[in-house]
Amino acid sequence: MAAGALAPRPPDSLQELQYTPQNSPPAGGVPPATDLVLGATAGCLACFLTNPLEVVKTRLQLQGELQPPGTYPRPYRGVLRAAVAVCRADGLRGLQKGLAAGLLYQGLMNGVRFYCYSHAEDAGWTGYPGGTVAAGAVAGAVGAIVGSPAYLSISGAFKSIYQQHGVVGLWRGVTGAVPRVAVGSAVQLATFASAKDWVCERQWFRKGSWAAVLAGGMVSGVAVAVTMTPFDVISTRLYNQPVDAGGKGKLYRGFLDCILQISSKEGLLGLYKGIGAVYLRLGPHTVLSLFFWDKLRNMVQH
């Protein structure tokens, strides 16, 4: 997340997508080790299709960094204009910048996240009140820690960062990534099923239909975007800030310092830069991840 696919394991049939109530036993069916591979694959497939929105989101969040509103040029004005600006400057390939790093990050983060959540589900922890939220948050935090180096860089950059800053340098910005993924994972796991049921109760869509799944994902995406965007902005700033010879950030000393600086210099709305792109990415990413996850699990089971 940053964030990445933030959704629980789907059941055996996505055509009848029903999430296990908290007072019911877990569905199971696929070993956690297999879930690790399938979760990583599903996350990568969804990442490939939504990476252009990740590029646009990052540009919007870095625009006017630590500058008061109205005092800096804005080459990126909204999601569509930002996408057009990227294409004009870098061509269509510019919308897939960082795809290799994104795929590596999504594979590591989601693989580990689904693996941990699968263990929690098999152990029955998600059956307790609040268990889904807690399991989602813990699984997301562990996934963020494991995937942090991939979010920072890829290939030759690993060697360069390791030589200059050691192993610790590969986890620069992890203090922003952990709360980002943990919050996003917990909120989505707690809201996706209820949002899907909500649109069906109002008879907007037939229960179990693809339209209901899509609508539920987009409604849930609003809650995730609102709660996750400030953490996403902070994570983006921490990962992308320049560092000194000792590997320390030149702009922010850490998570709290980043919040304070953004709030004081850019206003509270500075923490919500790129929220449109965040929302537009989270909805499709959730639905696509569930779709790919379901098909891959069915292939393994049959």
Side-chain angles (χ1 to χ4, degrees):
M1 180 200 138
L6 301 174
R9 292 192 312 162
D12 292 339
S13 176
L14 193 58
Q15 297 289 348
E16 299 177 355
L17 185 62
Q18 299 294 328
Y19 281 79
T20 305
Q22 290 191 346
N23 59 353
S24 301
V30 176
T34 303
D35 281 336
L36 187 152
V37 177
L38 300 186
T41 304
C44 287
L45 291 172
C47 173
F48 177 79
L49 296 175
T50 60
N51 188 66
L53 285 171
E54 178 69 20
V55 173
V56 171
K57 173 185 71 69
T58 301
R59 299 289 181 94
L60 290 170
Q61 290 176 342
L62 292 176
Q63 182 173 245
E65 187 170 9
L66 298 183
Q67 299 181 53
T71 63
Y72 56 87
R74 294 179 59 194
Y76 308 113
R77 294 176 177 270
V79 177
L80 292 178
R81 291 186 179 182
V84 172
V86 171
C87 290
R88 287 177 176 174
D90 306 317
L92 289 175
R93 291 184 178 181
L95 291 174
Q96 287 290 12
K97 275 191 174 180
L99 178 61
L103 292 173
L104 181 59
Y105 173 71
Q106 291 293 333
L108 289 173
M109 188 273 288
N110 280 295
V112 172
R113 189 172 69 88
F114 279 107
Y115 174 79
C116 293
Y117 187 82
S118 179
H119 264 300
E121 190 179 48
D122 288 347
W125 298 343
T126 55
Y128 295 99
T132 299
V133 176
V138 173
V142 175
I145 293 174
V146 174
S148 183
Y151 191 83
L152 177 65
S153 58
I154 193 172
S155 63
F158 278 109
K159 182 177 180 180
S160 175
I161 294 174
Y162 175 77
Q163 290 177 339
Q164 295 181 28
H165 309 299
V167 175
V168 177
L170 296 176
W171 272 267
R172 190 186 80 205
V174 71
T175 54
V178 169
R180 169 184 174 271
V181 179
V183 169
S185 181
V187 170
Q188 190 175 62
L189 287 169
T191 61
F192 183 83
S194 59
K196 180 173 63 68
D197 291 340
W198 183 77
V199 298
C200 292
E201 288 173 1
R202 281 153 182 76
Q203 298 183 346
W204 293 352
F205 303 107
R206 180 174 56 84
K207 191 171 185 179
S209 66
W210 288 104
V213 176
L214 175 61
M218 298 305 288
V219 171
S220 177
V222 174
V224 178
V226 171
T227 56
M228 187 176 175
T229 296
F231 297 95
D232 197 58
V233 171
I234 294 168
S235 179
T236 299
R237 297 288 182 87
L238 290 176
Y239 274 114
N240 286 276
Q241 70 171 325
V243 296
D244 58 22
K248 294 183 178 180
K250 293 183 178 181
L251 300 178
Y252 314 105
R253 293 191 300 271
F255 184 82
L256 293 178
D257 181 59
C258 187
I259 294 178
L260 294 175
Q261 288 206 55
I262 293 175
S263 300
S264 62
K265 297 180 181 179
E266 303 176 48
L268 290 177
L269 291 180
L271 292 170
Y272 281 90
K273 282 185 175 180
I275 186 173
V278 171
Y279 173 71
L280 290 176
R281 180 177 182 274
L282 284 175
H285 199 286
T286 297
V287 176
L288 287 171
S289 298
L290 285 171
F291 172 78
F292 292 131
W293 184 265
D294 174 74
K295 295 303 180 184
L296 291 171
R297 291 183 79 242
N298 284 340
M299 290 172 61
V300 170
Q301 290 175 331
H302 294 91

